[in-house]
Amino acid sequence: PKDPSAAARMEVTAAYAEKHGVFQLFEGLLQSLIVTKPDDPIAHLIDLVSAPPKDTAQASKAPKGIPRLLLLGGPASGAEEVAAAAARRYGTVHVSASLLLQAAASRGTAASRALLPYMAANVSEVPSECLGPLVVDRLRSDDVRRRGFLLTGFPNNEAQCEFLERAGIWVRSTLLLDIDEAAAAHALIASRVDPVTGTEYHPDQVAWPTDPAVLERLVQHPSRAEAQVLASLQSWRASKAQLLAAFPDHIIVDASRPSLALEERLGAILLGKGVGP
């Protein structure tokens, strides 16, 4: 004869699975694996099950979890510097697409040599197929899983946003460091660099050198020529529109605020006190 207690347990299990959509969950996970064919299926599944619900009403109930912050910023916004300082201060991992590209290009392998043509370009001009895997691999590393991330330099356009989505990578909060285009152009074009020390100066800053020898050797970096700066700002304008559309729940912060204030604004999000599901 059948064990009545076993039958009762099966009924309870079936009811639980139906109530919480367990079978649909496994079906969705399996479908995602078949469609995306990720190199690391376990990491892909972990990212999928830890992502907040896409439904807006349910997203607000998602657990806060570790930081997953995307920091956007165009030319002269200082996003890279602020992100690095905030990550050190608040104990999360700064994942910089530009630094990942530099590290990968310096390895001396055949794959790294393929990246060399992009080293002189802006990171936003690097194809997704070259930069995307570097970013995704870093975001799946153990320290990032434990401490969370503050991501800069990727994505830069709609196609790269889709690349992250296909990889199962999601962000909890998005913040844009915004700066007026005229102010950005002035900050970049007027800057000068000392080729001996590598120090960059701007005439509006207190640290502008007074030593005649230093002043005499100051030069404009080729990337800060007016034509290049204006082209870069125009490209960023188009990229910004795509990124803000892809991450509609973004926060916009004035990039001209003091660096410490910007760090603390990021800190509020990293510590779970800012907005975001």
Side-chain angles (χ1 to χ4, degrees):
K2 293 183 177 180
D3 182 355
S5 61
R9 287 196 298 271
M10 290 181 63
E11 289 182 8
V12 171
T13 300
Y16 174 87
E18 183 176 355
K19 177 181 179 180
H20 295 282
V22 173
F23 298 124
Q24 292 89 338
L25 171 64
F26 278 98
E27 182 181 4
L29 293 174
L30 179 59
Q31 183 179 19
S32 179
L33 284 176
I34 293 173
V35 171
T36 61
K37 298 179 179 61
D39 294 333
D40 187 341
I42 300 300
H44 179 75
L45 290 175
I46 291 174
D47 282 329
L48 286 178
V49 298
S50 62
K54 291 186 178 181
D55 178 76
T56 304
Q58 293 299 319
S60 62
K61 302 175 185 178
K64 290 295 181 182
I66 63 173
R68 304 175 72 95
L69 173 58
L70 170 63
L71 182 62
L72 306 174
S77 67
E80 288 285 326
E81 294 80 3
V82 172
R88 287 192 300 268
R89 182 174 178 181
Y90 295 101
T92 193
V93 180
H94 177 208
V95 178
S96 166
S98 60
L99 293 180
L100 290 174
L101 180 65
Q102 293 173 25
S106 65
R107 289 174 188 153
T109 63
S112 67
R113 285 191 289 274
L115 298 173
L116 292 177
Y118 303 109
M119 293 307 298
N122 188 293
V123 70
S124 63
E125 301 171 7
V126 182
S128 300
E129 59 270 22
C130 293
L131 189 56
L134 299 176
V135 173
V136 169
D137 286 349
R138 185 68 183 95
L139 291 174
R140 286 177 173 167
S141 57
D142 289 340
D143 61 332
V144 171
R145 292 188 183 282
R146 292 192 308 270
R147 297 162 51 200
F149 64 77
L150 205 173
L151 174 62
T152 57
F154 192 95
N156 293 291
N157 50 50
E158 185 178 6
Q160 292 182 351
C161 292
E162 293 172 352
F163 183 95
L164 284 184
E165 186 174 3
R166 287 195 302 272
I169 301 296
W170 58 279
V171 299
R172 195 181 297 278
S173 306
T174 304
L175 188 145
L176 167 67
L177 290 185
D178 205 18
I179 183 171
D180 176 75
E181 282 195 18
H186 174 67
L188 295 172
I189 295 171
S191 67
R192 294 294 183 269
V193 64
D194 182 346
V196 175
T197 65
T199 306
E200 186 172 319
Y201 299 97
H202 194 280
D204 294 345
Q205 295 176 341
V206 178
W208 184 259
T210 56
D211 185 338
V214 175
L215 288 170
E216 186 176 355
R217 65 179 185 244
L218 293 184
V219 296
Q220 184 182 54
H221 192 281
S223 66
R224 303 298 173 87
E226 183 174 1
Q228 285 195 260
V229 168
L230 295 181
S232 180
L233 288 170
Q234 182 178 11
S235 175
W236 166 245
R237 194 184 312 137
S239 297
K240 181 170 74 169
Q242 295 181 34
L243 292 169
L244 296 186
F247 302 98
D249 296 326
H250 55 265
I251 309 165
I252 298 180
V253 175
D254 184 359
S256 66
R257 295 172 61 185
S259 297
L260 184 58
L262 295 176
E263 286 178 35
E264 291 175 347
R265 185 65 186 91
L266 292 180
I269 299 174
L270 295 171
L271 296 174
K273 299 176 181 178
V275 300

